[in-house]
Amino acid sequence: MPTVQTDPWQSAVAKYADMFSAMGTEPRLRIMQLLLSAHPEGLVVGKIQEELDIPNSTLSHHLDKLRNEDLVRVQRESTFLRYTANADALQEILQFLYAECCTRNKAVKPKDIVQICR
């Protein structure tokens, strides 16, 4: 049976699409914003729930989706779960977007990106 070779670029695009999809709901994007504001310490689940007023079972579902795409990391602390934003994964997504919009076809000027971030 012949081996099917996967184009690395296509695999990367699929990976980033899954990551964007995981962040593509309002609650998950709010979770990411909150975890980034608490970076690098992160927050325990109870504090996330308190801040965002998301029911526990729903919050658990959203956190699992983000964790499955490696956008957040979780660490057990006694009886608590502490979640942190995975800054490396977010940097990777930003580099992917930057490469496409600002270097290859210059759709956006790099200086405009820096101005947005200030």
Side-chain angles (χ1 to χ4, degrees), residues 16-94:
Y16 298 132
D18 289 344
M19 292 169 93
F20 281 119
S21 177
M23 289 189 292
T25 67
E26 181 184 343
R28 290 185 207 139
L29 197 53
R30 288 174 49 218
I31 291 167
M32 291 303 299
Q33 284 181 306
L34 183 62
L35 291 177
L36 285 168
S37 72
H39 189 73
E41 293 85 12
L43 295 167
V44 295
V45 172
K47 185 65 175 171
I48 298 169
Q49 185 177 16
E50 179 184 314
E51 289 283 329
L52 299 180
D53 195 31
I54 298 173
N56 193 32
S57 62
T58 306
L59 178 60
S60 177
H61 166 75
H62 290 311
L63 289 168
D64 282 347
K65 181 68 173 170
L66 293 169
R67 185 181 48 79
N68 288 340
E69 296 305 329
D70 200 30
L71 293 164
V72 299
R73 297 210 168 114
V74 62
Q75 181 177 359
R76 179 167 292 282
E77 294 178 358
S78 182
T79 60
F80 300 100
L81 295 176
R82 178 173 296 276
Y83 282 84
T84 56
N86 181 352
D88 293 335
L90 295 171
Q91 180 177 339
E92 196 176 317
I93 290 173
L94 291 171

